[in-house]
Amino acid sequence: MPAFLLELGTEELPASFVCDSAAQWENLIPVTLAEESLTNESIEVYATPRRLAVLIKGLPVKQSDREEEVKGPPASSAFKDGKPTKAGEGFAKKQGVAIEDLTVKATDKGDFVFVLKQIAGRPTADILTQLVPQWIDKLEGKRFMRWADGDLKFPRPIRSIVALLDDALLPVTLANNLDTVKSDRISQGHRVLHPEPVAIPHAESYVGELRAAFVEVDRQQRQMQIKAQVEAAAAKLDGCADITEDLLTEVTDLVEWPNAVVGKFDSEFLMLPPEVITTIIVSNQRYFPILKSPDFPELLPYFITISNGDPAKSDIIAAGNERVVRARLADGQFFYKADLAKHLEDYLPKLETVTFQEDLGTVRAKVDRLCKIASFLTDRLQVTAQQRVQVERAALLCKADLVTQMVYEFPELQGIMGQKYALASGESEATATAIFEHYLPRGAGDSLPQTLTGQIVGIADKLDTLVSIFGLGMLPTGSSDPFALRRSANAIINIMWAAELPVNLHQLLAETVAEFTAIRPQTPAELLPQLSEFFLQRIRTLLQEEKNVDYDLVNAVLGENDPEYTERALKDLLDVLERALFLQKIRNDRTLDRIYETVNRSTRLAAQGSLDKIELDPKTVVRSDLFQKSSEQAFYDAVVQLVPQTQLCKQTRNYQQLVDSLTEIAPTVSNFFDGSESVLVMDSDPEIKQNRLNLLGLLRNHARVLADFGAIVKS
């Protein structure tokens, strides 16, 4: 069975696109082949900085022949008095069949004319020639460019196309005005090690031919080689390579024939904070730092480069890399010594020269606002006097390192250098740690602040950004969120959940909005409702996507168009998390099934009554003299016994106890609905009807301490 090879030869692609484009083709190509009924045995996508390729094995020579039933005009239009009309003849002619081949079939919309056509499968070569431009055109990425005088867009110019079906060249053309590219069997080897063109004789020989030309097209193989080479080089230095996933992925897409090269820097630079050294080595140079051991993460004065050059010139490559690293480390050493010459607090006046946002003033003004919010939080959390001082100092100093020389040169060190400089300035360990932690989490998967001081300052900083930017009417829309407001809100919620901080977010938002409005009287009145709704959306998303709670159970704890429930969620974030996780647990173990029918039915019927959703005690809202069946009295007695248990549950959050109580009452409620002593809830007597609806409303209210069962979908 034939194999097909497609290779796009390009100029040096951005590393991020190499990985991303391969993933896109891995998803796109199987779908388009299936749409064309082209089966295959395997699809392998390859990518390097200078090419994107796919090898498809086990293709058929052509599509299978197939039958296709085509629907035509209504039978009444196609035939009249048993004879074909112009409409019928026209349909037959269009389909290339005789009028006798038409059949009439009944449909939901009446009788229609149909024709069963035999369609011969097209040659695979023709289909692939048609698909290739689509595969290229559908690739997406950032900063696509045009080149020459054409309109074709790609991250870098496409210089060649190899398109082979087994050993036959397929005619593929990418029209780009005068720079049009036509397919050939000529690929390119390694730019340095094999500058001569490489002729590909057969699709299945592609990987081997390129390896012979010093190009490893298989990304996974390249990555494994890099990891093995780096680990081996580090072991020779009696060290351990610090290999992060992000750096390994990026370096994999920067080279075609990896070669590990060891470089060295002067030991005197080890006096710098290790974060400075690794930032220079990793973030700026894309090199791998070397540690003494995994359990002793002290740096050794070496680094490992993955070169794409000639291994015979490794000494020259190492010397060049060392010169660059030495210069960067010398800069870092100068910045560090200069920064340490001043106390961290002495940098605060300079924050007045840095704009946070055009309409919100300077970073110094932001610091004043977040200090106020931190004060709100310390009041609510009833911290000790010592903790209050630590929070005040951390809030005041948390942005001071932004105007140091080190952070100006290496912005990714913000917070990290603030911690170092705070300790050097004599600040407490708690204050220094909080300066670092208040930036956490920096992104998805990052750790959360672990100290109370860091948690408070981090929440204050993020909440100020949210309130301030929302106050300007700059709400995130779609994928546009330039101030990372969603991430900030997610971080606030996750910090409170993880640290179990008993913070009334509803009140904190109100206080922060009031403070901001006092500074900016023109702030729109809808700011607080907008923020509240935004946080509810983030809670909903986090519960579903991170806590894996079913959507209907999330609706059940947050409420749908239920102000009392939504306010409750914002007032007690810990409770809403606990209730959501508990609901998911009792759904998974089937406990929820035991109470679902009775509570859900009661909830739906109670909506037709007038009882509020807070009342729990039946003595004031149910009249026993209106009972007509023993099931009503039994229902009433059961609810009376439920009151103290539910009240205790509200205090202790022992929701298992509430579910146990609801499970006990379920047979009584079931008898009220369907037993031998069942009643008609919607009685013709309005007083009896309301009395029975009140009974159901009470059961609903007790269940609402856990969740709105009307929002839960039956499993």
Side-chain angles (χ1 to χ4, degrees):
M1 299 178 77
F4 174 65
L5 168 69
L6 169 67
E7 183 202 63
L8 297 184
T10 69
E11 295 185 10
E12 300 282 343
L13 293 167
S16 59
F17 183 76
V18 175
C19 179
D20 187 48
S21 60
Q24 290 182 58
W25 267 11
E26 286 169 354
N27 293 324
L28 171 65
I29 291 175
V31 172
T32 54
L33 291 176
E35 289 172 351
E36 296 291 343
S37 301
L38 287 182
T39 58
N40 62 85
E41 293 176 359
S42 66
I43 300 175
E44 295 292 337
V45 178
Y46 305 114
T48 80
R50 297 178 65 206
R51 72 204 72 230
L52 179 61
V54 60
L55 177 61
I56 307 170
K57 296 181 181 179
L59 287 164
V61 175
K62 69 180 187 66
Q63 290 174 320
S64 299
D65 297 340
R66 68 185 191 278
E67 291 183 338
E68 181 178 339
E69 190 173 57
V70 182
K71 182 181 177 184
S76 58
S77 299
F79 294 96
K80 187 173 183 180
D81 299 329
K83 295 182 179 181
T85 64
K86 287 187 176 181
E89 291 173 346
F91 174 66
K93 183 177 180 181
K94 181 179 179 181
Q95 299 303 320
V97 298
I99 197 73
E100 293 79 13
D101 294 329
L102 301 183
T103 59
V104 177
K105 290 187 178 182
T107 72
D108 294 340
K109 296 182 179 180
D111 292 346
F112 279 78
V113 171
F114 287 84
V115 62
L116 188 63
K117 297 177 62 177
Q118 301 295 325
I119 301 177
R122 296 168 59 204
T124 297
D126 293 349
I127 297 170
L128 291 171
T129 302
Q130 176 185 327
L131 286 177
V132 167
Q134 297 178 29
W135 295 344
I136 300 170
D137 186 59
K138 289 184 178 180
L139 286 172
E140 298 177 350
K142 298 178 180 177
R143 295 182 291 276
F144 273 39
M145 61 177 286
R146 292 187 180 92
W147 64 96
D149 58 349
D151 293 325
L152 190 61
K153 290 183 180 180
F154 210 66
R156 294 295 183 270
I158 298 172
R159 295 307 188 195
S160 65
I161 299 174
V162 176
L164 298 177
L165 188 61
D166 281 345
D167 59 355
L169 179 65
L170 294 191
V172 175
T173 300
L174 285 184
N176 196 33
N177 208 355
L178 297 179
D179 197 30
T180 295
V181 183
K182 294 184 178 181
S183 59
D184 201 337
R185 61 175 68 250
I186 302 301
S187 181
Q188 298 296 321
H190 191 278
R191 191 185 295 278
V192 175
L193 299 174
H194 195 288
E196 301 85 7
V198 178
I200 310 297
H202 192 283
E204 293 195 50
S205 66
Y206 174 69
V207 175
E209 293 288 344
L210 267 294
R211 279 180 183 153
F214 301 99
V215 175
E216 176 55 74
V217 294
D218 189 322
R219 288 190 70 256
Q220 186 175 3
Q221 284 295 321
R222 243 179 14 257
Q223 189 168 94
M224 291 170 59
Q225 290 174 17
I226 291 169
K227 190 170 186 292
Q229 289 184 29
V230 169
E231 289 175 345
K236 289 182 179 179
L237 299 169
D238 294 326
C240 172
D242 184 11
I243 304 176
T244 63
E245 193 65 33
D246 288 345
L247 180 58
L248 181 60
T249 298
E250 184 175 6
V251 170
T252 298
D253 295 322
L254 288 173
V255 299
E256 292 194 316
W257 194 254
N259 174 47
V261 177
V262 175
K264 191 177 189 307
F265 59 86
D266 295 338
S267 297
E268 67 175 277
F269 292 121
L270 291 174
M271 56 80 63
L272 287 168
E275 294 88 349
V276 174
I277 299 174
T278 55
T279 295
I280 290 171
I281 291 176
V282 176
S283 300
N284 291 101
Q285 301 305 127
R286 310 299 190 268
Y287 302 160
F288 294 92
I290 309 299
L291 310 175
K292 284 191 174 180
S293 75
D295 302 322
F296 190 60
E298 183 178 335
L299 289 169
L300 292 176
Y302 299 99
F303 59 87
I304 298 173
T305 304
I306 297 300
S307 167
N308 195 42
D310 186 348
K313 305 292 179 60
S314 291
D315 290 344
I316 298 173
I317 294 169
N321 294 338
E322 288 171 355
R323 282 195 298 272
V324 174
V325 169
R326 187 182 303 113
R328 298 292 280 170
L329 289 174
D331 289 343
Q333 187 178 55
F334 173 81
F335 299 145
Y336 186 56
K337 290 179 178 178
D339 290 341
L340 287 175
K342 296 171 64 175
H343 191 287
L344 185 59
E345 190 170 2
D346 293 339
Y347 289 99
L348 289 176
K350 199 173 180 181
L351 290 178
E352 296 176 1
T353 66
V354 181
T355 301
F356 168 60
Q357 198 280 336
E358 185 179 2
D359 296 318
L360 295 172
T362 66
V363 174
R364 185 68 180 87
K366 176 180 174 58
V367 168
D368 291 339
R369 293 194 302 271
L370 75 86
C371 284
K372 189 70 175 179
I373 299 171
S375 178
F376 292 154
L377 281 164
T378 53
D379 290 342
R380 299 295 169 267
L381 293 172
Q382 299 179 342
V383 302
T384 65
Q386 182 182 21
Q387 287 174 324
R388 181 180 291 274
V389 170
Q390 291 167 350
V391 170
E392 289 173 350
R393 289 298 292 172
L396 179 66
L397 299 174
C398 67
K399 303 297 181 184
D401 68 337
L402 294 180
V403 289
T404 62
Q405 293 188 57
M406 184 72 80
V407 175
Y408 180 82
E409 184 69 19
F410 305 112
E412 56 268 52
L413 290 174
Q414 63 183 10
I416 295 171
M417 298 314 300
Q419 179 182 26
K420 308 291 183 186
Y421 295 152
L423 290 172
S425 299
E427 300 292 337
S428 69
E429 183 78 33
T431 296
T433 301
I435 291 173
F436 164 70
E437 287 188 330
H438 94 282
Y439 283 108
L440 302 179
R442 297 173 185 261
D446 197 9
S447 58
L448 298 171
Q450 299 300 304
T451 68
L452 179 61
T453 308
Q455 290 156 2
I456 291 174
V457 178
I459 291 171
D461 179 36
K462 294 168 180 64
L463 189 56
D464 169 70
T465 299
L466 278 160
V467 172
S468 300
I469 301 301
F470 263 71
L472 298 180
M474 300 170 66
L475 283 62
T477 56
S479 60
S480 176
D481 188 7
F483 288 91
L485 301 181
R486 295 186 185 93
R487 189 174 71 192
S488 292
N490 288 350
I492 290 171
I493 296 164
N494 277 324
I495 290 170
M496 291 184 179
W497 280 348
E500 298 185 358
L501 299 180
V503 176
N504 184 331
L505 183 58
H506 184 270
Q507 184 182 43
L508 181 62
L509 284 171
E511 290 175 333
T512 307
V513 167
E515 188 71 21
F516 183 76
T517 303
I519 300 172
R520 287 181 58 87
Q522 68 271 38
T523 300
E526 61 269 19
L527 175 56
L528 182 57
Q530 286 176 340
L531 284 164
S532 298
E533 179 59 30
F534 185 70
F535 269 98
L536 284 168
Q537 291 173 1
R538 304 325 303 160
I539 294 170
R540 187 179 302 277
T541 299
L542 291 174
L543 287 175
Q544 289 183 220
E545 296 182 0
E546 294 189 8
K547 304 300 182 181
N548 299 313
V549 179
D550 295 340
Y551 80 95
D552 59 320
L553 302 183
V554 174
N555 292 338
V557 297
L558 292 182
E560 296 180 292
N561 301 316
D562 190 332
E564 187 265 329
Y565 242 45
T566 53
E567 186 172 322
R568 176 184 173 187
L570 290 176
K571 284 182 176 179
D572 197 338
L573 290 180
L574 303 184
D575 177 63
V576 79
L577 173 62
E578 189 171 345
R579 287 188 291 126
L581 295 177
F582 178 74
L583 276 176
Q584 189 64 56
K585 171 183 172 294
I586 63 173
R587 166 170 279 176
N588 293 344
D589 65 18
R590 315 303 297 181
T591 303
L592 183 60
D593 295 346
R594 301 174 198 165
I595 62 174
Y596 175 80
E597 290 292 348
T598 53
V599 177
N600 184 270
R601 188 175 179 183
S602 300
T603 299
R604 285 187 281 109
L605 279 169
Q608 301 184 51
S610 58
L611 184 69
D612 65 48
K613 296 179 179 179
I614 300 174
E615 183 61 59
L616 296 175
D617 193 345
K619 295 177 182 178
T620 58
V621 295
V622 177
R623 290 171 52 190
S624 57
D625 61 297
L626 294 177
F627 293 162
Q628 294 181 328
K629 297 286 184 71
S630 60
S631 63
E632 293 176 276
Q633 184 66 52
F635 195 160
Y636 176 86
D637 293 341
V639 175
V640 170
Q641 295 177 12
L642 196 57
V643 173
Q645 298 175 50
T646 302
Q647 294 288 10
L648 181 62
C649 171
K650 290 176 69 175
Q651 296 171 12
T652 63
R653 291 183 185 165
N654 185 348
Y655 294 113
Q656 184 62 58
Q657 183 181 41
L658 176 60
V659 169
D660 291 343
S661 300
L662 292 173
T663 303
E664 283 184 34
I665 202 176
T668 302
V669 180
S670 181
N671 188 50
F672 175 83
F673 282 129
D674 303 311
S676 59
E677 288 291 302
S678 64
V679 301
L680 178 64
V681 175
M682 310 305 282
D683 195 90
S684 57
D685 185 324
E687 287 191 328
I688 294 175
K689 169 185 169 183
Q690 186 59 51
N691 205 50
R692 291 170 178 170
L693 287 172
N694 283 354
L695 271 174
L696 297 174
L698 288 165
L699 179 61
R700 172 201 63 195
N701 293 353
H702 282 269
R704 272 177 64 85
V705 172
L706 172 59
D708 175 9
F709 277 73
I712 299 177
V713 178
K714 186 176 181 179
S715 300

